[in-house]
Amino acid sequence: MSGSKPNSSANSLEGVLERITFYNEENGFLIGKLKGGDKTAEIAVVGKAPKVQCGETLVLLGKWVNHPKHGRQFSFDSFESKLPASAYGIRKYLASGLIHGIGKTYANKIVDKFGADTLKVISEESGRLREVEGIGKKRIKSIREAWEEQKAVREVMMFLQTYGVTDALCLRLVRKYGNSAKTILETDPYRIIREIKGIGFKTADKIALNLGLSNNGPERIEAGILHTVQEAEDQGHNHVERRELVIQAANLLETDSNEVDKRIDVLHEGEDLVPSTTDWVQLPTSARAELTLARCLTHLMRTRSSLPPIQVEKAIVWAQDKAGFGFADAQMEGIRQALLSKVSILTGGPGTGKTTILRALVSILKAKKAKVMLAAPTGRAARRMAESASHFAQTVHRLLKFDPSHGGFTMNEQTPLSCDFLIMDEASMLDLRLAAALIRSIPAQAHLVLVGDADQLPSVGSGNVLKDLIDSKLLTVTQLEVTFRQAEDSGIVRLAHGILDGRTGPPSPLDDPQAINPRHDVHFIRANSPEECVAHVTLLCREILPRKFSLNVRADVQILAPLHRGIGGIGNLNDQIRDAINPTGATQVMGPFLFREGDKVIQTRNNYDKDVFNGDMGIVDAVDTLNGKVDILFDDRRITYERMEVTDLQPAYAISVHKSQGSEYPVVIFPLLKQHFMMLQRNLVYTGLTRAKKKVIFVGDPAAYAMAIRNDKTLERQTDLIRKLKECMASDPQKKLL
């Protein structure tokens, strides 16, 4: 199998890859040791070689260099890889753990038995492995499956290495298409844009053009147009101006804008794009979701309530007596509007009394024997909601009962939820599609209360539903502004409101992490460089927080970082914290991922078959090296991940602020550096800060904090929901909307 082949004037070096001392999964950069023969000294080699394994024969093209610290090395800029042919190379190759079911012991046994024919036996005559002592049917099956899977993965990876596709995405391709992956890439490369999230137009286009497809072919132009619209959706927009779409797509495709304009008309005819407002277009899925949301909300508001008779003012007095304290005027108004209005919104920052209203509403409704349902976007938010209200709460996905066999939610207009009253918490996290699915499942006679903080980051998915509904001025909104929670002594609440007011000064910075005061709940530790920032965060997790505050770092502490890449990014922070607090757990590399027993991990996409969802966190409980499986504990549930499913997991000692939405953590560590400038916005810091229940520790540059607070110019999301909602509300009440 071949890698890239540069000019022949470079020096050539051939040998068996003996050891891999460093490997970067993102770009394939490798530092390793090459051996020319059994008695040859090892040679240090450095360069990009995606997905190579110990034991392979590599032909490297490059040059000899002298490293000031590590001495003489061979720096290569291209390589050719061959499966090992000698018994020595095969032994090394199999002992690397590449094939699940074969470790060092069995690698030696198999090679001792079959010698240079070993790989042929595994590939073509796997039944003969029974001739090796200790290998039975189960292990043979595991070895054969792993070999076939690895062969498919490797073939695709070698094919894609020149296109900058990461190992994780290659695994996703193989999981989606199996052994057909390479054929699909060669015959219909633009297909992968639609079907594999994470692979963009530029990658597919590079493959297509290298395969000789026309630069101005209709398939390419249409793929570029749809990609441009999808990119707008990825940025949160639900529709795009046609003129801007033509300009952006023509620039992307490096083609004539008139050709792009013509293909937009063709996409309209085929209903791959639909018009929204004049001279604006959107994907049909977005158009349907906005219209569904607008129609169902209108129908909900026009239908008579199913609640039993409630004397609202007496109910509020009763709820105050039950709570043991008096409610503020705004809190009473929130309860009043929720009971009187079919649809209402309750919004406010931390400590403004949203939980008090929630608890009071549930108490009143339960006393009246009304059917109440509580929902939140994430498992953590649902658990917190249940504790606050003393009533069962669940995630939206579980509430709506996703059916994997049909690819949709079970609950809808035809089979609505069985409730009189639904309260949706953390509503700022609802993207357009999930909001539409939720609203269409609510029975027309029920009440809906959306609870959220409109100042937080908008949803990860497209749309800005909570803000749009508030801005439409068509729904009843109660704005809570007075703080109650720990109002006098909560530095977190005071700082949160200061951020919204644009006060830019950070808490007084400390130069020494050891100097943090246990009595304070907001801290700022100065770090003048990304390296110093990571060192301070590592020291906090390894020593200071466990010793000084008696905290369990896995359970009680969450690092929230603005960016994924770089020294101060999420990837490096996860590596450093893992090594600091979990250095000895049993480790297994599966594909491009390292799993260590005891590691904290996060689910990165909804998996309805396993009933785990994007943002769910767990702990690696066990690694099955024979069968290539990993067991994850999600609270009290143990979920087993097969080899090709592990790409849905990522380390979670550090996560993005977006992924933290809907969750609360006892302690938040928040790195803030000038290198994060692209992400430094007021609502990012506000959202991260308000995830902390007891303590927040900023680590970084006070100037970066000030930059973020000054920047309140967040990207305005372009949606068509308000217009559609106003049209539905203005329609004839006698006209059937659904």
Side-chain angles (χ1 to χ4, degrees):
M1 297 184 186
S2 298
S4 52
K5 297 180 180 180
N7 74 71
S8 56
S9 62
N11 290 320
S12 176
L13 181 68
E14 182 171 346
V16 174
L17 184 60
E18 184 73 13
R19 280 188 293 138
I20 297 174
T21 54
F22 173 81
Y23 183 67
N24 184 325
E25 296 291 349
E26 287 294 326
N27 59 16
F29 181 77
L30 170 142
I31 301 174
K33 298 288 187 179
L34 204 71
K35 202 170 183 182
D38 289 355
K39 297 181 181 179
T40 307
E42 292 180 353
I43 300 165
V45 295
V46 295
K48 289 187 178 181
K51 206 56 187 172
V52 295
Q53 297 289 339
C54 291
E56 293 182 48
T57 296
L58 299 182
V59 180
L60 309 177
L61 292 175
K63 60 184 178 181
W64 291 97
V65 296
N66 280 308
H67 190 278
K69 183 177 179 181
H70 302 293
R72 196 165 184 252
Q73 301 177 334
F74 190 79
S75 176
F76 64 94
D77 52 18
S78 67
F79 74 101
E80 183 176 348
S81 172
K82 306 172 183 175
L83 285 176
S86 68
Y88 171 80
I90 294 170
R91 194 183 303 273
K92 196 77 185 172
Y93 184 66
L94 294 180
S96 69
L98 175 74
I99 308 301
H100 297 291
I102 303 179
K104 189 172 182 180
T105 300
Y106 279 106
N108 287 331
K109 285 184 177 182
I110 293 169
V111 177
D112 286 345
K113 177 69 177 176
F114 300 113
D117 291 332
T118 296
L119 296 186
K120 182 183 177 185
V121 169
I122 293 173
S123 180
E124 301 172 15
E125 306 170 67
S126 58
R128 290 189 60 196
L129 291 171
R130 292 287 297 273
E131 299 172 26
V132 178
E133 183 184 354
I135 295 184
K137 286 183 179 180
K138 185 177 178 182
R139 190 176 292 271
I140 289 174
K141 183 174 182 288
S142 174
I143 291 171
R144 185 170 59 245
E145 288 175 353
W147 173 262
E148 290 302 320
E149 176 190 298
Q150 182 61 31
K151 199 164 78 173
V153 170
R154 185 175 175 78
E155 191 172 54
V156 174
M157 285 180 173
M158 297 303 292
F159 177 70
L160 289 180
Q161 66 176 336
T162 55
Y163 306 112
V165 179
T166 64
D167 286 0
L169 287 178
C170 287
L171 283 173
R172 221 176 286 172
L173 281 165
V174 175
R175 184 170 65 186
K176 175 75 175 176
Y177 302 125
N179 292 336
S180 304
K182 186 179 176 184
T183 303
I184 288 169
L185 290 170
E186 289 176 322
T187 57
D188 189 7
Y190 295 112
R191 172 178 168 184
I192 63 176
I193 305 170
R194 302 186 301 272
E195 299 181 357
I196 309 289
K197 189 169 178 59
I199 292 186
F201 172 81
K202 289 183 180 178
T203 299
D205 196 42
K206 195 171 183 182
I207 296 170
L209 294 177
N210 274 281
L211 291 170
L213 272 70
S214 169
N215 190 56
N216 282 317
E219 298 92 346
R220 179 173 185 266
I221 295 176
E222 289 176 14
I225 293 167
L226 293 175
H227 167 72
T228 304
V229 179
Q230 185 59 59
E231 272 200 328
E233 288 232 341
D234 292 344
Q235 293 169 7
H237 308 298
N238 286 137
H239 68 166
V240 60
E241 190 178 13
R242 177 167 178 152
R243 180 169 53 87
E244 187 63 27
L245 173 58
V246 170
I247 293 169
Q248 290 187 16
N251 287 339
L252 171 74
L253 296 162
E254 296 180 345
T255 192
D256 181 69
S257 58
N258 290 325
E259 291 298 318
V260 173
D261 204 44
K262 289 176 188 174
R263 298 318 299 182
I264 291 176
D265 289 333
V266 173
L267 289 169
H268 269 314
E269 290 169 12
E271 297 186 346
D272 293 300
L273 285 178
V274 296
S276 51
T277 56
T278 305
D279 295 327
W280 287 67
V281 299
Q282 62 186 155
L283 296 173
T285 49
S286 295
R288 283 195 299 271
E290 284 185 335
L291 196 55
T292 296
L293 184 51
R295 285 175 171 172
C296 290
L297 272 174
T298 302
H299 188 52
L300 192 59
M301 294 170 71
R302 288 179 179 174
T303 306
R304 187 182 297 276
S305 169
S306 63
L307 284 182
I310 298 175
Q311 296 183 43
V312 174
E313 300 308 321
K314 287 185 178 180
I316 292 173
V317 172
W318 176 84
Q320 289 179 102
D321 291 340
K322 193 173 190 309
F325 58 86
F327 300 157
D329 289 346
Q331 290 176 309
M332 288 191 284
E333 183 63 13
I335 297 168
R336 188 177 294 117
Q337 293 301 336
L339 295 173
L340 294 174
S341 305
K342 285 296 302 302
V343 180
S344 62
I345 296 174
L346 186 64
T347 183
T352 53
K354 296 191 296 293
T355 300
T356 297
I357 297 173
L358 174 72
R359 193 181 299 122
L361 276 173
V362 171
S363 295
I364 292 168
L365 293 165
K366 286 168 75 173
K368 287 293 184 178
K369 302 292 191 292
K371 295 178 182 176
V372 187
M373 285 185 168
L374 308 184
T378 67
R380 284 173 176 262
R383 286 191 295 276
R384 196 174 74 245
M385 193 183 190
E387 290 165 6
S388 300
S390 300
H391 187 77
F392 177 69
Q394 58 192 313
T395 64
V396 181
H397 296 89
R398 292 192 176 102
L399 178 77
L400 301 183
K401 296 181 175 58
F402 189 84
D403 182 358
S405 63
H406 293 94
F409 292 110
T410 300
M411 313 310 292
N412 50 40
E413 301 97 323
Q414 285 72 43
T415 53
L417 298 165
S418 177
C419 68
D420 300 307
F421 208 105
L422 176 67
I423 304 175
M424 175 71 207
D425 200 7
E426 298 287 354
S428 64
M429 293 180 66
L430 283 176
D431 62 38
L432 172 64
R433 285 165 180 74
L434 188 57
L438 174 68
I439 303 303
R440 72 189 294 212
S441 74
I442 301 172
Q445 69 276 11
H447 285 238
L448 169 67
V449 178
L450 298 171
V451 183
D453 184 347
D455 291 310
Q456 286 190 28
L457 290 170
S459 57
V460 176
S462 65
N464 206 353
V465 175
L466 181 64
K467 185 175 184 300
D468 280 350
L469 294 181
I470 293 171
D471 290 348
S472 74
K473 303 190 184 307
L474 295 170
L475 282 70
T476 301
V477 179
T478 303
Q479 176 74 51
L480 302 173
E481 294 175 339
V482 179
T483 59
F484 300 96
R485 173 162 63 104
Q486 307 165 351
E488 296 302 317
D489 51 327
S490 171
I492 292 174
V493 172
R494 286 198 304 274
L495 185 60
H497 289 277
I499 288 171
L500 293 181
D501 292 338
R503 296 199 290 271
T504 58
S508 299
L510 301 169
D511 291 314
D512 181 5
Q514 300 281 2
I516 61 177
N517 189 334
R519 293 194 301 273
H520 296 168
D521 57 357
V522 177
H523 310 271
F524 200 113
I525 299 168
R526 191 192 310 274
N528 296 316
S529 67
E531 291 82 1
E532 189 177 16
C533 175
V534 173
H536 285 341
V537 172
T538 304
L539 182 64
L540 284 166
C541 293
R542 186 181 62 234
E543 296 179 19
I544 297 173
L545 294 179
R547 174 175 50 79
K548 203 166 187 173
F549 299 93
S550 301
L551 290 169
N552 179 330
V553 172
R554 284 188 195 86
D556 301 328
V557 179
Q558 187 58 58
I559 302 166
L560 303 180
L563 288 177
H564 285 269
R565 297 177 183 272
I567 293 170
I570 291 166
N572 186 49
L573 283 165
N574 272 313
D575 290 343
Q576 300 303 318
I577 302 306
R578 172 199 280 129
D579 290 343
I581 72 170
N582 188 26
T584 58
T587 303
Q588 173 70 14
V589 177
M590 299 174 66
F593 299 95
L594 183 149
F595 290 89
R596 187 173 288 166
E597 288 179 6
D599 269 350
K600 184 177 177 181
V601 294
I602 187 168
Q603 176 79 8
T604 60
R605 76 174 184 95
N606 294 331
N607 187 323
Y608 300 97
D609 294 320
K610 293 187 179 297
D611 200 29
V612 289
F613 301 100
N614 188 6
D616 286 354
M617 285 192 182
I619 300 293
V620 178
D621 185 58
V623 177
D624 181 349
T625 57
L626 171 61
N627 297 301
K629 299 178 181 179
V630 177
D631 286 348
I632 310 294
L633 285 178
F634 291 99
D635 296 322
D636 56 347
R637 296 188 305 135
R638 181 193 302 271
I639 306 293
T640 298
Y641 285 72
E642 305 290 340
R643 273 192 296 269
M644 300 304 285
E645 295 173 326
V646 297
T647 55
D648 294 341
L649 297 169
Q650 289 178 4
Y653 299 108
I655 62 173
S656 68
V657 178
H658 256 123
K659 283 200 178 295
S660 74
Q661 286 182 267
S663 299
E664 275 190 344
Y665 314 96
V667 177
V668 164
I669 299 176
F670 200 151
L672 272 178
L673 296 161
K674 285 183 179 176
Q675 286 79 1
H676 300 149
F677 71 93
M678 292 175 62
M679 297 294 293
L680 292 180
Q681 294 177 342
R682 184 182 296 179
N683 62 355
L684 180 92
V685 178
Y686 174 80
T687 302
L689 170 70
T690 54
R691 300 308 90 208
K693 201 183 325 184
K694 297 179 180 177
K695 194 178 296 294
V696 65
I697 306 171
F698 293 99
V699 182
D701 188 340
Y705 178 94
M707 285 169 60
I709 305 310
R710 282 196 299 268
N711 181 17
D712 64 345
K713 302 292 189 293
T714 55
L715 177 69
E716 184 178 346
R717 295 189 167 190
Q718 300 295 334
T719 75
D720 194 36
L721 177 59
I722 294 176
R723 184 189 68 83
K724 288 185 173 78
L725 186 58
K726 285 181 176 179
E727 281 193 356
C728 285
M729 292 286 192
S731 65
D732 183 354
Q734 302 303 315
K735 182 181 177 182
K736 188 174 176 63
L737 288 166
L738 299 171

